Amino acid sequence: MKMFNSYFHLKFLVQELQEKIESKFITSAFTFAKRELHISISDGSDIYFCANNPLPFLTYQTRTPSPKDKVLLFKDIYRLQISKILLNRSDRQLLISFNNDNYYLLISCYGTNGNVFLLDGKFAILESFRKTSTDKQSNHFQMSDFKSPDSISYDPESIENLILTYGDRNLEILLKNIMNKRLDKVFVNELFARTGLRSDKKCGELSGKEIELLNNTLKEMLDEIEAKNFYIYYGELPVFSLLKLSYLKNNDLKIFANCTTATNEFIKEYLKNFYFIEEKRNLIRIVEKYIAATQRKLLRQKQDLKNIKDPSTYKEWAETILANYHKVNRKADFVILPRLHNPAEKIKIPLIRGLTPNENAKRYFEKAKNIEKSREILKKTIIENENSLDNAKKLLQKLGSINSRKELKSVKKLIQNNYLPTVKLKEHHEKLPYQLISYKNWDILIGKSARDNDILTFKIARPNDFWFHAQNVPGSHVIVRNPNKRDSLPSEITKVAAGLAAFNSKDKNSKLVPVVYTKKKYVWKPKKSNPGIASYKFEKSIIVEPINPQAIQGKLS
């Protein structure tokens, strides 16, 4: 923004306001947007004050807006005549006087901390636009602080005396504190650019010729400001200046002879470009987050692919069992058999007690098939994610080169449809650690995670409830409520609960899964064990097909 909203900018704005609205009347003052105030003049024009980011400003408009909903303010000055408009001699404040100093509007142009106060003839606050701590600051100013803006007075001798007096100070610090601190950073930097002097140079190190050069350049620049040319340099964000800026000499430039015209043009261009840049940055952030998430996902998927067990081991076990059918005891937990391609070598094959050799072999064939299927699905998913990642990187590159709203609009739609994360609606009810299924008047509770299993079994389940779990594999704890304290469950309920436990386990894709069950009072948590781990006794076992809860929805009561 550079010299926008500086003392010199406000000086010329006040001079133009004096010509346009002095002797006219106030018809209303109102707000219809946060931190924005409109002061309506009798000729239909408007003083527009804004304390919002990204661009706080004060300007003059030829037409007052007419919103449907608005809040009226400062009613004491309605129909009062504007007597004069003054500027604080050393600050960014202007004062509008009414009815020969019976009332005042004090406008403080302090950026986002700016405010507008209604004062009485004695400078006491009657009302303020914003209720902030800055209200108290207006009491520090007096009528004598304000005067009609005039040409800038400059005394080369006083500047030279200051340089000689404060020889130990940096030149930049001294310059920013002379002339009632009116020389802002942009002015001082341009002064150094034109003189070639170093900003960190001590005042005492300046030669007589350098002091003369500094004085002459300073006077030239102040005269340039008094010429009342207003410059807007166009770029990614426009720059407002009262001087020609050497470091922007290659930018497109437009020069205005009228302060309010230049001010309104700058406000329009700055806000248009700012919101374009912000929208573009936001879209870039969305795509960058998508790229980062996809890269993390690919790393996990590739590691998962490496960690998938070789299905040939399960195929070999199945084929070995079938080849040695009569050597396999269905009551055993394992069997040791000669390897088919090398009979001299023995292999130990785990068995599920109670299953026939054919059933054990079938189980291993199914495991091998499921592993192979999982591997192919994972490979396909990795390829799809790699393609998505490449497309996202190309889109990110394209986004960086977009300079028009039309292009950005078309890309924005693509990003919103394909790259925004899916937002899950929050459940209004309290999250439960279990899924509840009611089957033929029996409540069956299924734990949702390892920690939820602990809560379900050791805090929610009652001693006579029945506890189910897939045998020797990780899975959910399943509880069947037993309010009547029965010694056993109906056969159908046992099979359903066991099937649900099988489905909610690592063996969910197997055709048959062994499940153990017992009463909850015979289940306990081993000391220092991980979440979800439980020990039990007096258990019974049953071999069942996994049951998907959705498959029995029609039977739920």
Side-chain angles (χ1 to χ4, degrees):
M1 291 178 284
K2 305 309 175 189
M3 300 184 81
F4 187 80
N5 208 32
S6 66
Y7 171 84
F8 296 119
H9 178 206
L10 292 178
K11 169 183 179 305
F12 296 122
L13 194 60
V14 167
Q15 286 177 347
E16 291 187 8
L17 285 175
Q18 286 175 328
E19 295 174 7
K20 294 174 185 294
I21 65 172
E22 274 190 1
S23 77
K24 293 186 171 63
F25 295 84
I26 297 294
T27 56
S28 67
F30 59 88
T31 180
F32 64 92
K34 187 177 181 182
R35 295 185 175 186
E36 294 184 12
L37 175 68
H38 293 268
I39 302 167
S40 180
I41 313 299
S42 55
D43 63 356
S45 62
D46 176 64
I47 297 173
Y48 183 10
F49 171 83
C50 173
N52 280 323
N53 273 324
L55 184 67
F57 59 81
L58 175 70
T59 190
Y60 171 81
Q61 301 179 129
T62 56
R63 292 181 64 184
T64 302
S66 302
K68 290 182 180 179
D69 298 313
K70 59 186 177 182
V71 178
L72 296 176
L73 300 165
F74 306 134
K75 294 180 182 179
D76 289 338
I77 59 172
Y78 291 8
R79 295 181 295 280
L80 295 188
Q81 189 174 32
I82 298 170
S83 304
K84 54 193 170 187
I85 305 173
L86 307 174
L87 183 67
N88 192 308
R89 294 179 300 172
S90 59
D91 210 342
R92 291 176 296 157
Q93 291 186 322
L94 59 100
L95 189 72
I96 302 176
S97 170
F98 301 97
N99 283 24
N100 298 316
D101 301 338
N102 286 332
Y103 290 97
Y104 302 97
L105 268 187
L106 174 64
I107 303 176
S108 297
C109 299
Y110 296 154
T112 55
N113 292 320
N115 208 344
V116 180
F117 308 95
L118 175 62
L119 311 176
D120 65 13
K122 296 180 180 179
F123 250 52
I125 298 172
L126 299 175
E127 187 180 347
S128 65
F129 171 48
R130 297 174 61 200
K131 305 300 180 185
T132 68
S133 57
T134 55
D135 292 6
K136 297 176 182 178
Q137 294 179 6
S138 63
N139 290 326
H140 298 305
F141 299 102
Q142 299 176 352
M143 186 63 191
S144 57
D145 293 319
F146 295 87
K147 68 173 187 175
S148 184
D150 51 18
S151 59
I152 303 164
S153 59
Y154 174 67
D155 183 2
E157 287 187 9
S158 66
I159 301 295
E160 187 173 344
N161 289 334
L162 284 170
I163 290 172
L164 296 174
T165 303
Y166 298 100
D168 59 336
R169 288 194 183 181
N170 281 0
L171 182 57
E172 181 178 16
I173 295 172
L174 181 74
L175 289 171
K176 286 181 180 178
N177 284 280
I178 63 174
M179 298 179 65
N180 290 320
K181 299 183 180 180
R182 293 176 182 175
L183 305 185
D184 62 13
K185 185 177 179 180
V186 178
F187 186 102
V188 173
N189 287 346
E190 182 64 20
L191 179 62
F192 286 128
R194 294 187 185 190
T195 59
L197 295 172
R198 293 197 336 267
S199 61
D200 60 347
K201 193 166 188 174
K202 299 289 186 185
C203 292
E205 297 172 357
L206 291 170
S207 66
K209 285 187 177 181
E210 287 176 326
I211 294 174
E212 184 180 359
L213 173 64
L214 185 68
N215 265 324
N216 290 338
T217 308
L218 186 54
K219 186 177 186 310
E220 286 173 7
M221 291 174 66
L222 292 172
D223 288 343
E224 188 178 332
I225 288 176
E226 283 297 324
K228 296 184 182 180
N229 288 318
F230 307 95
Y231 304 91
I232 295 180
Y233 290 88
Y234 294 88
E236 186 178 42
L237 282 175
V239 172
F240 180 95
S241 179
L242 305 173
L243 295 163
K244 279 192 175 180
L245 301 175
S246 54
Y247 78 97
L248 291 176
K249 61 184 178 182
N250 295 324
N251 286 46
D252 290 338
L253 169 66
K254 192 171 181 180
I255 305 174
F256 297 81
N258 181 278
C259 183
T260 53
T261 304
T263 300
N264 290 329
E265 169 70 9
F266 176 74
I267 292 168
K268 182 187 75 174
E269 285 297 313
Y270 187 93
L271 292 178
K272 180 182 75 174
N273 289 12
F274 177 85
Y275 290 119
F276 171 79
I277 292 167
E278 280 298 293
E279 187 171 28
K280 181 176 169 179
R281 284 175 181 167
N282 184 48
L283 293 175
I284 286 172
R285 281 193 292 267
I286 291 170
V287 178
E288 284 176 339
K289 283 183 179 181
Y290 178 85
I291 288 172
T294 305
Q295 287 172 332
R296 291 193 298 269
K297 189 191 296 182
L298 277 168
L299 282 174
R300 290 195 303 269
Q301 289 172 341
K302 288 177 180 179
Q303 189 59 47
D304 289 345
L305 189 60
K306 286 182 182 179
N307 294 337
I308 288 179
K309 291 182 180 179
D310 187 355
S312 61
T313 300
Y314 294 114
K315 286 182 182 178
E316 182 186 20
W317 288 357
E319 290 167 355
T320 304
I321 290 172
L322 292 177
N324 296 274
Y325 185 88
H326 298 293
K327 296 179 182 179
V328 179
N329 185 347
R330 66 184 297 170
K331 294 182 179 180
D333 293 321
F334 65 89
V335 64
I336 298 174
L337 298 170
R339 194 181 290 278
L340 292 179
H341 64 271
N342 184 11
E345 186 181 348
K346 305 289 185 181
I347 56 173
K348 182 179 179 181
I349 304 174
L351 301 172
I352 292 180
R353 185 183 296 184
L355 295 185
T356 66
N358 279 340
E359 288 172 336
N360 270 306
K362 186 177 181 181
R363 183 167 176 268
Y364 284 128
F365 276 129
E366 286 179 353
K367 273 199 172 186
K369 184 179 178 181
N370 289 337
I371 289 171
E372 195 60 49
K373 187 178 178 181
S374 298
R375 189 197 295 273
E376 291 306 312
I377 291 172
L378 194 51
K379 283 181 180 177
K380 185 180 177 182
T381 304
I382 287 172
I383 291 171
E384 289 173 353
N385 284 330
E386 284 175 337
N387 291 335
S388 297
L389 183 62
D390 288 340
N391 291 335
K393 286 180 177 178
K394 289 175 185 175
L395 179 61
L396 186 63
Q397 192 173 10
K398 182 181 178 181
L399 261 174
S401 62
I402 286 177
N403 293 312
S404 74
R405 289 186 172 278
K406 187 176 179 181
E407 285 182 287
L408 194 67
K409 188 177 179 181
S410 63
V411 172
K412 181 180 178 180
K413 192 172 182 180
L414 173 68
I415 291 171
Q416 288 175 333
N417 291 338
N418 297 284
Y419 294 93
L420 278 175
T422 303
V423 179
K424 294 182 179 178
L425 294 175
K426 292 183 179 179
E427 295 180 356
H428 294 290
H429 56 78
E430 183 182 358
K431 182 185 174 184
L432 296 174
Y434 58 83
Q435 178 186 0
L436 172 63
I437 292 177
S438 293
Y439 181 77
K440 295 195 174 179
N441 297 321
W442 289 85
D443 286 343
I444 305 172
L445 285 57
I446 305 169
K448 292 181 178 178
S449 68
R451 293 188 184 280
D452 289 342
N453 283 337
D454 282 351
I455 296 170
L456 173 61
T457 298
F458 303 112
K459 292 187 178 180
I460 295 175
R462 301 184 186 100
N464 283 291
D465 290 344
F466 283 88
W467 179 87
F468 290 74
H469 198 283
Q471 189 173 18
N472 297 327
V473 292
S476 293
H477 295 197
V478 175
I479 297 293
V480 178
R481 289 293 199 192
N482 184 22
N484 297 325
K485 300 181 182 179
R486 293 176 54 153
D487 292 330
S488 62
L489 294 170
S491 174
E492 184 182 0
I493 302 304
T494 300
K495 288 178 181 178
V496 169
L500 292 170
F503 182 83
N504 289 279
S505 76
K506 287 274 182 158
D507 275 351
K508 66 182 291 183
N509 293 317
S510 298
K511 184 158 186 179
L512 295 171
V513 178
V515 175
V516 295
Y517 64 99
T518 186
K519 284 197 172 183
K520 186 269 165 186
K521 60 186 175 184
Y522 301 130
V523 182
W524 68 94
K525 180 81 177 168
K527 288 183 179 180
K528 298 182 181 179
S529 62
N530 291 330
I533 299 298
S535 295
Y536 49 85
K537 62 182 179 180
F538 305 133
E539 75 278 8
K540 295 180 182 179
S541 69
I542 182 173
I543 298 172
V544 294
E545 292 183 9
I547 297 175
N548 186 334
Q550 293 179 355
I552 59 171
Q553 286 299 314
K555 300 178 183 179
L556 297 184
S557 59

